[in-house]
Amino acid sequence: AQSVTQPDIHITVSEGASLELRCNYSYGATPYLFWYVQSPGQGLQLLLKYFSGDTLVQGIKGFEAEFKRSQSSFNLRKPSVHWSDAAEYFCAVLVGGYGNKLVFGAGTILRVKS
Amino acid sequence: KAGVTQTPRYLIKTRGQQVTLSCSPISGHRSVSWYQQTPGQGLQFLFEYFSETQRNKGNFPGRFSGRQFSNSRSEMNVSTLELGDSALYLCASSLALTGPYEQYFGPGTRLTVT
């Protein structure tokens, strides 16, 4: 069955430090992968996506992610975290081939220390 | 371009009642998907509509239903509400012509069942 695992429930980093959020997926076909961010009480904002091509993808707000097929991973990175990055981050895979169904990971809550 | 809008933003209902939530997609988007977000189960796919037809369905009981209108606006209905239906209900829209497309989420409707 398709699944997405985000091993870290909480992560705390200092402002200005680098960030890496982990995501592993299980999906038999070509994965279409996404990272979304959610601030408290808000909807989900798309940070970036991977469909094909270059395995390092750039997103909004200075985020990037690298797709590694051999490791079934799609980790999110940012070189220097800002206090405004504190939020919950979700990795997701689009499944089903025909139609739109996202399977989400459990999310990682990012706290930023000043 | 205006984003995805959802109404109402907040609802309080009593067990046994029914509720209807509304979603207006981004202009030009023909696919609307619904998700339920709870602390215990995370983000779960409910169903997807495309050109007024349900194209995908998640593992939810028949009390959860939806529809899509010719202008792509969508509604979801939950009948005979249970306490466990308390959740944030998110709507997402997508171009979804052929191939994979990203989904854009609305701010959600927070449903509380008492």
Side-chain angles (χ1 to χ4, degrees):
Chain A
Q2 313 97 344
S3 66
V4 176
T5 302
Q6 294 180 245
D8 305 304
I9 298 174
H10 294 96
I11 281 188
T12 300
V13 299
S14 297
E15 193 170 13
S18 63
L19 170 70
E20 182 168 30
L21 302 182
R22 296 182 291 163
C23 171
N24 292 96
Y25 66 90
S26 172
Y27 186 55
T30 301
Y32 302 119
L33 297 159
F34 306 83
W35 276 99
Y36 285 89
V37 61
Q38 185 178 38
S39 297
Q42 302 298 314
L44 301 173
Q45 182 181 23
L46 177 67
L47 286 175
L48 47 77
K49 65 181 187 284
Y50 172 78
F51 288 170
S52 65
D54 193 347
T55 56
L56 184 64
V57 293
Q58 303 297 319
I60 62 171
K61 303 186 180 189
F63 286 93
E64 66 178 28
E66 186 170 14
F67 170 63
K68 293 185 177 180
R69 185 183 296 274
S70 61
Q71 298 177 20
S72 298
S73 70
F74 188 56
N75 293 349
L76 182 71
R77 300 194 294 246
K78 186 170 186 178
S80 177
V81 169
H82 188 261
W83 64 266
S84 60
D85 293 324
E88 189 162 16
Y89 291 79
F90 293 93
C91 180
V93 63
L94 187 68
V95 304
Y98 180 65
N100 286 304
K101 174 183 175 181
L102 286 171
V103 172
F104 286 90
T108 298
I109 296 172
L110 172 65
R111 291 159 52 185
V112 181
K113 290 189 305 185
S114 56
Chain B
K1 213 179 242 191
V4 178
T5 58
Q6 293 187 245
T7 56
R9 291 293 310 278
Y10 302 92
L11 265 179
I12 299 176
K13 290 286 189 179
T14 304
R15 271 180 302 174
Q17 289 185 315
Q18 70 141 16
V19 67
T20 298
L21 313 181
S22 181
C23 171
S24 292
I26 292 170
S27 178
H29 285 194
R30 294 167 61 188
S31 166
V32 173
S33 299
W34 289 88
Y35 295 83
Q36 181 196 64
Q37 184 177 26
T38 60
Q41 300 299 316
L43 281 152
Q44 294 186 286
F45 173 80
L46 280 155
F47 29 65
E48 183 218 1
Y49 286 86
F50 179 81
S51 292
E52 302 179 64
T53 301
Q54 188 180 85
R55 192 162 66 167
N56 255 315
K57 190 177 188 312
N59 295 324
F60 279 81
R63 300 185 296 107
F64 292 82
S65 63
R67 60 177 175 168
Q68 186 180 35
F69 302 94
S70 59
N71 62 358
S72 295
R73 190 177 70 85
S74 176
E75 290 181 347
M76 69 163 280
N77 184 77
V78 188
S79 62
T80 319
L81 283 165
E82 301 177 359
L83 294 178
D85 297 333
S86 294
L88 181 67
Y89 290 88
L90 293 163
C91 160
S93 78
S94 170
L95 272 173
L97 298 173
T98 58
Y101 280 91
E102 58 270 30
Q103 295 182 34
Y104 294 92
F105 283 79
T109 294
R110 171 73 62 185
L111 172 64
T112 302
V113 182
T114 62

